[in-house]
Amino acid sequence: MMTAPKDPSFTLVQLRYFAAAAELGSMTAAAKTLMVSQSAVSTAIAQLEKELGVQLLIRQHARGLVLTTAGRNFFQELRGFLAHSIELADSAARLGNALIGDLTIGCFSTIAPFGLPKLLGEYEQRFPQVRMNVVEGEHESLTRLLRDGECELALMYGFERNEGITYQPLRLAKPYVIVSPTHPVVLEGRREASLSEFANDPMVLLDLPHSREYFLSLPRRAGFTPQIRFRSTGYETVRSLVAHGFGFSILNQRPEHNLTYDGHEVAVLELTDDVPALELVIAHLSGIRLTGRAAAFIELCKRDFAQS
């Protein structure tokens, strides 16, 4: 007859003490953050390791605390567990279907000015007791924030799919060209063009990781390698340079008007080429149950972006 495994007898306090020590890399720092003695942290972690039958941390004098392989895996799973323990405690204070607590959202820097403020406003109106936090970044930094547990969701492009992360599609962002209002194509009264028509024009490149590869791939699909006149990581800087006649550019997100920060204008041209659009996605770690706060934000994203 098989013996049923015994229920674990570790405590939530032990888990929280271990999580703090693992995140901060120091017993002393963890004790200071938790406002307890260092011996309390050390004892709790030792009892946790004994209960689990595995070493989670290695104490090194020069480097502080180092997670073992088992410790890293345990810590990754533990983040979600602790987040839900907080949500469980919060539920006692909920009124009806209200949500409370913290929700941190990562957002790709060029997406943030367009759809994020409206989303935040609608979300906070519906769930006023949720404290929203936003961290902006590019693809790699947002992926890292998700893996490190520093944000629960990330609004980003589906440039590449990383293992262990789930990407839920929201909408497609079609590329388009911007030029100065004095460009010959605009003076002809046209509102669309083929990329090959800009083969002899200099290009102003939105130079962000992954974005640059995508934008450079489109002219190459049209049979030419663009001559880069200027590069910038700033979306509005790119638009201003184009407005001043320094070249054409390719973008995905569309402002409501064609004015730049300095009062000049760009002209928008639709592409007649068969070019791939960028997929806008909401991403989260796979295999971890989302908090109610995160699930509600995802549903709001799906609704709003479906209508845009």
Side-chain angles (χ1 to χ4, degrees):
M1 179 182 296
M2 295 182 62
T3 303
K6 68 173 184 175
D7 293 333
S9 60
F10 54 73
T11 67
L12 190 57
V13 169
Q14 291 169 354
L15 295 176
R16 286 176 175 163
Y17 284 14
F18 163 73
E23 183 173 352
L24 297 171
S26 164
M27 295 280 191
T28 303
K32 184 176 180 180
T33 299
L34 296 166
M35 293 186 290
V36 297
S37 68
Q38 183 175 335
S39 62
V41 176
S42 179
T43 300
I45 293 174
Q47 290 172 343
L48 178 61
E49 290 178 321
K50 181 179 179 181
E51 175 62 28
L52 295 175
V54 65
Q55 186 172 7
L56 302 172
L57 294 167
I58 299 174
R59 290 83 168 163
Q60 294 184 350
H61 179 70
R63 297 176 58 193
L65 298 178
V66 178
L67 286 167
T68 64
T69 300
R72 284 195 300 273
N73 293 335
F74 184 71
F75 184 39
Q76 184 173 354
E77 295 293 331
L78 180 59
R79 288 195 188 101
F81 176 83
L82 290 178
H84 288 294
S85 73
I86 294 172
E87 187 176 55
L88 182 62
D90 288 344
S91 67
R94 292 177 187 170
L95 297 175
N97 294 322
L99 297 177
I100 67 172
D102 294 296
L103 177 62
T104 300
I105 306 296
C107 190
F108 198 89
S109 57
T110 59
I111 298 173
F114 294 94
L116 189 60
K118 179 174 180 287
L119 281 169
L120 295 178
E122 291 180 359
Y123 189 90
E124 291 195 346
Q125 186 175 16
R126 292 179 60 186
F127 309 109
Q129 293 180 316
V130 176
R131 294 175 295 274
M132 299 287 292
N133 303 291
V134 176
V135 183
E136 289 187 52
E138 42 76 37
H139 188 87
E140 296 298 336
S141 64
L142 293 177
T143 300
R144 185 172 60 254
L145 289 170
L146 285 172
R147 294 196 187 282
D148 291 344
E150 295 184 35
C151 65
E152 189 171 1
L153 301 172
L155 194 59
M156 59 200 302
Y157 292 115
F159 288 118
E160 63 178 32
R161 303 302 169 96
N162 292 270
E163 185 178 354
I165 295 179
T166 296
Y167 302 88
Q168 298 192 41
L170 297 174
R171 70 170 174 86
L172 294 176
K174 294 174 59 178
Y176 63 95
V177 164
I178 57 171
V179 294
S180 76
T182 59
H183 192 281
V185 172
V186 179
L187 295 178
E188 291 174 10
R190 293 161 56 192
R191 295 185 178 181
E192 60 181 24
S194 169
L195 269 174
S196 61
E197 297 181 64
F198 305 100
N200 296 321
D201 292 3
M203 182 179 186
V204 180
L205 178 66
L206 180 58
D207 194 14
L208 292 169
H210 295 282
S211 294
R212 76 171 73 94
E213 288 79 9
Y214 169 75
F215 290 131
L216 289 174
S217 73
L218 301 183
R220 289 171 185 148
R221 289 170 63 99
F224 70 98
T225 299
Q227 174 193 353
I228 307 302
R229 179 69 177 86
F230 286 111
R231 298 170 180 262
S232 176
T233 59
Y235 179 89
E236 281 299 331
T237 303
V238 168
R239 295 179 77 244
S240 292
L241 288 168
V242 169
H244 281 268
F246 286 106
F248 78 98
S249 190
I250 307 173
L251 298 172
N252 289 86
Q253 295 298 327
R254 302 193 180 208
E256 290 295 324
H257 57 75
N258 294 332
L259 284 176
T260 62
Y261 280 178
D262 61 356
H264 287 70
E265 284 191 62
V266 296
V268 174
L269 297 171
E270 302 295 339
L271 286 172
T272 59
D273 308 71
D274 182 16
V275 291
L278 277 180
E279 188 174 43
L280 191 65
V281 300
I282 186 80
H284 56 83
L285 285 180
S286 304
I288 294 180
R289 186 172 65 88
L290 293 171
T291 63
R293 299 180 292 274
F297 188 82
I298 290 175
E299 290 307 309
L300 185 61
C301 285
K302 288 180 176 179
R303 189 199 71 186
D304 276 21
F305 283 107
Q307 296 172 356
S308 62

